[in-house]
Amino acid sequence: MKKIVVDALPFPYECDLNKTAFIIIDMQRDFCYKGGFGESLGNDVTLTMKIIPIVEKVLNVMREHKVMIIHTREGHDPSLKDCPPNKLKRFPSIGQNGPMGRILIRGEYGHDIVDELKPLPNEVIIDKPGKGAFYNTDLLEVLTKNGVTHLIFAGVTTHVCVQTTIREANDRGFDCLLLDDASAAFDINDHLNSLHMINQQNGIFGWTTSSQKLIEAINK
Ligand code: TIU
């Protein structure tokens, strides 16, 4: 048992690191670099790129403490058979050629995780077709099998894939903590509004804190 208590909003977050997973959502080149899916939607990737060193710092601490690490990637089979027509209709750049390969397609350079956060062979990668990491994946089975009850989140984008996954996880009984400086949206207001949506009403979906506060609690 490696119990920690983290100074968080709306009140301290407690977990046993042996029953906790660190989930890094969609830190793919397609969302963090120019020429990817994020930019194809008309977004500026400055903010999503900026969190890479902060996520890396937390990832290293989690690795040192042998916390389970899970990386997710949003994307589709090259045939697009797992891309629902409604998604393709509104986001026709999916599957198109971009400077980093076919956009949001598994196996392409842009779909993969940024070099700084490259998963180690013992870490779990969840490939997901949707915004939430539980839909059409084996994430719940992986967590249950490993006795995980608590989830600490980083990644992009806060208001889309991160928040959708936190909502899915909360309904499945996981206590969720989001790192406010290790997550980002293309627009800062979407990010800040998401933090409020998560920690409001006594933690309606979970808790929020900074990476520094988490690391302090781990090193205590
Ligand atoms: N568009 C947007 O903000 N996000 C996504 O489409 N996917 C993720 O958040 N990963």
Side-chain angles (χ1 to χ4, degrees), residues 8-38:
L9 289 173
F11 54 87
Y13 176 85
E14 296 184 21
C15 66
D16 175 354
L17 289 182
N18 291 330
K19 294 182 178 175
T20 300
F22 179 46
I23 303 203
I24 304 174
I25 302 285
D26 300 1
M27 288 300 288
Q28 299 160 251
R29 299 184 182 102
D30 264 330
F31 291 104
C32 297
Y33 292 166
K34 286 185 173 296
F37 182 59

Short mmCIF file of all heavy atoms in Angstrom, two decimals, residues 8-38:
data_model
loop_
_atom_site.label_atom_id
_atom_site.label_comp_id
_atom_site.label_asym_id
_atom_site.label_seq_id
_atom_site.Cartn_x
_atom_site.Cartn_y
_atom_site.Cartn_z
N ALA A 8 -6.12 19.09 -3.46
CA ALA A 8 -6.86 19.17 -4.73
C ALA A 8 -8.17 19.92 -4.53
O ALA A 8 -8.57 20.22 -3.40
CB ALA A 8 -7.14 17.74 -5.23
N LEU A 9 -8.84 20.19 -5.65
CA LEU A 9 -10.18 20.78 -5.59
C LEU A 9 -11.18 19.71 -5.96
O LEU A 9 -10.91 18.92 -6.87
CB LEU A 9 -10.30 21.94 -6.59
CG LEU A 9 -9.52 23.21 -6.23
CD1 LEU A 9 -9.60 24.21 -7.39
CD2 LEU A 9 -10.04 23.82 -4.94
N PRO A 10 -12.34 19.62 -5.31
CA PRO A 10 -12.84 20.54 -4.29
C PRO A 10 -12.37 20.19 -2.88
O PRO A 10 -12.63 20.95 -1.96
CB PRO A 10 -14.36 20.39 -4.41
CG PRO A 10 -14.55 18.97 -4.83
CD PRO A 10 -13.37 18.64 -5.71
N PHE A 11 -11.69 19.06 -2.70
CA PHE A 11 -11.13 18.69 -1.39
C PHE A 11 -10.04 17.65 -1.64
O PHE A 11 -9.92 17.15 -2.77
CB PHE A 11 -12.23 18.17 -0.43
CG PHE A 11 -13.07 17.04 -0.95
CD1 PHE A 11 -12.68 15.71 -0.81
CD2 PHE A 11 -14.28 17.30 -1.60
CE1 PHE A 11 -13.45 14.67 -1.30
CE2 PHE A 11 -15.07 16.25 -2.10
CZ PHE A 11 -14.65 14.95 -1.94
N PRO A 12 -9.21 17.34 -0.64
CA PRO A 12 -8.06 16.45 -0.89
C PRO A 12 -8.46 15.11 -1.53
O PRO A 12 -9.50 14.54 -1.21
CB PRO A 12 -7.45 16.25 0.50
CG PRO A 12 -7.81 17.50 1.23
CD PRO A 12 -9.19 17.87 0.74
N TYR A 13 -7.58 14.67 -2.43
CA TYR A 13 -7.79 13.43 -3.18
C TYR A 13 -6.87 12.37 -2.59
O TYR A 13 -5.67 12.58 -2.47
CB TYR A 13 -7.43 13.68 -4.64
CG TYR A 13 -7.50 12.48 -5.56
CD1 TYR A 13 -8.69 12.09 -6.16
CD2 TYR A 13 -6.34 11.76 -5.87
CE1 TYR A 13 -8.74 11.01 -7.04
CE2 TYR A 13 -6.38 10.68 -6.75
CZ TYR A 13 -7.58 10.31 -7.33
OH TYR A 13 -7.63 9.25 -8.20
N GLU A 14 -7.44 11.26 -2.19
CA GLU A 14 -6.65 10.18 -1.58
C GLU A 14 -6.64 8.97 -2.51
O GLU A 14 -7.67 8.61 -3.06
CB GLU A 14 -7.27 9.75 -0.24
CG GLU A 14 -7.24 10.85 0.78
CD GLU A 14 -7.77 10.40 2.14
OE1 GLU A 14 -7.79 9.18 2.40
OE2 GLU A 14 -8.16 11.29 2.92
N CYS A 15 -5.47 8.36 -2.63
CA CYS A 15 -5.42 7.11 -3.40
C CYS A 15 -4.25 6.26 -2.95
O CYS A 15 -3.31 6.75 -2.31
CB CYS A 15 -5.34 7.39 -4.89
SG CYS A 15 -3.83 8.18 -5.43
N ASP A 16 -4.32 5.00 -3.28
CA ASP A 16 -3.22 4.06 -3.07
C ASP A 16 -2.54 3.91 -4.44
O ASP A 16 -3.18 3.45 -5.40
CB ASP A 16 -3.83 2.73 -2.58
CG ASP A 16 -2.78 1.64 -2.45
OD1 ASP A 16 -1.61 1.87 -2.83
OD2 ASP A 16 -3.14 0.54 -1.99
N LEU A 17 -1.28 4.30 -4.52
CA LEU A 17 -0.60 4.26 -5.84
C LEU A 17 -0.57 2.86 -6.44
O LEU A 17 -0.45 2.72 -7.66
CB LEU A 17 0.82 4.82 -5.73
CG LEU A 17 0.94 6.34 -5.51
CD1 LEU A 17 2.40 6.74 -5.48
CD2 LEU A 17 0.20 7.14 -6.58
N ASN A 18 -0.68 1.85 -5.60
CA ASN A 18 -0.71 0.47 -6.13
C ASN A 18 -2.04 0.15 -6.81
O ASN A 18 -2.15 -0.87 -7.49
CB ASN A 18 -0.48 -0.54 -5.00
CG ASN A 18 0.94 -0.48 -4.49
OD1 ASN A 18 1.86 -0.14 -5.23
ND2 ASN A 18 1.12 -0.78 -3.20
N LYS A 19 -3.06 0.99 -6.56
CA LYS A 19 -4.36 0.75 -7.19
C LYS A 19 -4.74 1.91 -8.10
O LYS A 19 -5.93 2.18 -8.35
CB LYS A 19 -5.43 0.60 -6.09
CG LYS A 19 -5.24 -0.63 -5.23
CD LYS A 19 -6.34 -0.74 -4.22
CE LYS A 19 -6.17 -1.99 -3.40
NZ LYS A 19 -7.16 -2.08 -2.33
N THR A 20 -3.72 2.63 -8.55
CA THR A 20 -3.95 3.83 -9.36
C THR A 20 -3.30 3.65 -10.73
O THR A 20 -2.25 3.02 -10.84
CB THR A 20 -3.32 5.05 -8.64
OG1 THR A 20 -3.95 5.19 -7.36
CG2 THR A 20 -3.48 6.33 -9.43
N ALA A 21 -3.94 4.21 -11.75
CA ALA A 21 -3.31 4.25 -13.07
C ALA A 21 -3.18 5.71 -13.49
O ALA A 21 -4.04 6.54 -13.17
CB ALA A 21 -4.12 3.48 -14.10
N PHE A 22 -2.09 6.01 -14.18
CA PHE A 22 -1.88 7.34 -14.77
C PHE A 22 -2.28 7.22 -16.24
O PHE A 22 -1.68 6.45 -16.99
CB PHE A 22 -0.41 7.74 -14.62
CG PHE A 22 -0.08 9.09 -15.20
CD1 PHE A 22 -0.87 10.21 -14.96
CD2 PHE A 22 1.07 9.26 -15.98
CE1 PHE A 22 -0.55 11.45 -15.49
CE2 PHE A 22 1.40 10.50 -16.50
CZ PHE A 22 0.59 11.60 -16.26
N ILE A 23 -3.32 7.94 -16.63
CA ILE A 23 -3.82 7.84 -18.00
C ILE A 23 -3.46 9.11 -18.77
O ILE A 23 -3.88 10.21 -18.40
CB ILE A 23 -5.35 7.65 -18.05
CG1 ILE A 23 -5.76 6.41 -17.25
CG2 ILE A 23 -5.83 7.53 -19.49
CD1 ILE A 23 -7.10 5.82 -17.66
N ILE A 24 -2.71 8.94 -19.82
CA ILE A 24 -2.32 10.07 -20.67
C ILE A 24 -3.18 9.99 -21.93
O ILE A 24 -3.08 9.04 -22.73
CB ILE A 24 -0.83 10.00 -21.04
CG1 ILE A 24 0.02 9.95 -19.75
CG2 ILE A 24 -0.44 11.20 -21.88
CD1 ILE A 24 1.50 9.74 -20.03
N ILE A 25 -4.03 10.99 -22.08
CA ILE A 25 -5.00 10.96 -23.18
C ILE A 25 -4.44 11.63 -24.45
O ILE A 25 -4.09 12.82 -24.43
CB ILE A 25 -6.31 11.71 -22.76
CG1 ILE A 25 -6.94 11.09 -21.49
CG2 ILE A 25 -7.30 11.76 -23.93
CD1 ILE A 25 -7.66 9.79 -21.69
N ASP A 26 -4.34 10.86 -25.49
CA ASP A 26 -4.17 11.35 -26.88
C ASP A 26 -3.04 12.37 -27.10
O ASP A 26 -3.21 13.34 -27.85
CB ASP A 26 -5.49 11.95 -27.38
CG ASP A 26 -6.63 10.95 -27.39
OD1 ASP A 26 -6.41 9.79 -26.98
OD2 ASP A 26 -7.76 11.31 -27.78
N MET A 27 -1.89 12.12 -26.43
CA MET A 27 -0.75 13.04 -26.69
C MET A 27 -0.07 12.63 -28.00
O MET A 27 1.11 12.29 -28.06
CB MET A 27 0.22 13.02 -25.50
CG MET A 27 -0.33 13.73 -24.27
SD MET A 27 -0.70 15.49 -24.54
CE MET A 27 0.96 16.16 -24.63
N GLN A 28 -0.87 12.70 -29.05
CA GLN A 28 -0.44 12.28 -30.39
C GLN A 28 0.03 13.50 -31.18
O GLN A 28 -0.41 14.63 -30.93
CB GLN A 28 -1.65 11.67 -31.13
CG GLN A 28 -2.22 10.45 -30.46
CD GLN A 28 -3.66 10.17 -30.91
OE1 GLN A 28 -4.60 10.35 -30.15
NE2 GLN A 28 -3.82 9.70 -32.14
N ARG A 29 0.89 13.24 -32.15
CA ARG A 29 1.35 14.35 -33.00
C ARG A 29 0.15 15.03 -33.66
O ARG A 29 0.17 16.24 -33.89
CB ARG A 29 2.32 13.81 -34.05
CG ARG A 29 3.56 13.19 -33.42
CD ARG A 29 4.57 12.74 -34.47
NE ARG A 29 5.71 12.11 -33.85
CZ ARG A 29 5.91 10.77 -33.80
NH1 ARG A 29 5.06 9.95 -34.38
NH2 ARG A 29 6.96 10.28 -33.18
N ASP A 30 -0.89 14.27 -33.97
CA ASP A 30 -2.07 14.83 -34.63
C ASP A 30 -2.75 15.93 -33.79
O ASP A 30 -3.52 16.73 -34.34
CB ASP A 30 -3.09 13.71 -34.92
CG ASP A 30 -2.98 13.18 -36.34
OD1 ASP A 30 -2.59 13.96 -37.23
OD2 ASP A 30 -3.30 12.00 -36.55
N PHE A 31 -2.53 15.92 -32.49
CA PHE A 31 -3.15 16.94 -31.63
C PHE A 31 -2.14 17.96 -31.12
O PHE A 31 -2.54 19.02 -30.62
CB PHE A 31 -3.86 16.29 -30.44
CG PHE A 31 -5.07 15.51 -30.84
CD1 PHE A 31 -5.04 14.12 -30.88
CD2 PHE A 31 -6.24 16.15 -31.22
CE1 PHE A 31 -6.15 13.39 -31.29
CE2 PHE A 31 -7.35 15.45 -31.63
CZ PHE A 31 -7.31 14.05 -31.66
N CYS A 32 -0.85 17.61 -31.17
CA CYS A 32 0.15 18.49 -30.55
C CYS A 32 1.03 19.22 -31.56
O CYS A 32 1.71 20.17 -31.19
CB CYS A 32 1.05 17.67 -29.62
SG CYS A 32 0.15 16.94 -28.26
N TYR A 33 1.05 18.76 -32.79
CA TYR A 33 1.94 19.38 -33.77
C TYR A 33 1.14 19.99 -34.92
O TYR A 33 -0.02 19.62 -35.16
CB TYR A 33 2.90 18.33 -34.36
CG TYR A 33 3.93 17.79 -33.40
CD1 TYR A 33 4.65 16.64 -33.72
CD2 TYR A 33 4.21 18.41 -32.18
CE1 TYR A 33 5.60 16.12 -32.86
CE2 TYR A 33 5.17 17.89 -31.32
CZ TYR A 33 5.86 16.75 -31.66
OH TYR A 33 6.79 16.24 -30.81
N LYS A 34 1.83 20.82 -35.66
CA LYS A 34 1.22 21.42 -36.85
C LYS A 34 1.01 20.34 -37.92
O LYS A 34 1.81 19.42 -38.03
CB LYS A 34 2.13 22.51 -37.41
CG LYS A 34 2.11 23.78 -36.57
CD LYS A 34 2.93 24.87 -37.22
CE LYS A 34 2.78 26.19 -36.47
NZ LYS A 34 1.42 26.74 -36.49
N GLY A 35 -0.08 20.47 -38.66
CA GLY A 35 -0.33 19.56 -39.78
C GLY A 35 -1.16 18.34 -39.42
O GLY A 35 -1.41 17.49 -40.25
N GLY A 36 -1.62 18.28 -38.16
CA GLY A 36 -2.41 17.13 -37.72
C GLY A 36 -3.90 17.41 -37.70
O GLY A 36 -4.38 18.41 -38.25
N PHE A 37 -4.62 16.49 -37.04
CA PHE A 37 -6.08 16.59 -36.98
C PHE A 37 -6.52 17.90 -36.30
O PHE A 37 -7.39 18.61 -36.81
CB PHE A 37 -6.65 15.39 -36.22
CG PHE A 37 -8.16 15.38 -36.13
CD1 PHE A 37 -8.94 15.38 -37.28
CD2 PHE A 37 -8.79 15.38 -34.90
CE1 PHE A 37 -10.33 15.36 -37.20
CE2 PHE A 37 -10.18 15.35 -34.80
CZ PHE A 37 -10.95 15.35 -35.96
N GLY A 38 -5.89 18.20 -35.16
CA GLY A 38 -6.27 19.40 -34.40
C GLY A 38 -6.19 20.64 -35.26
O GLY A 38 -7.13 21.45 -35.30
#
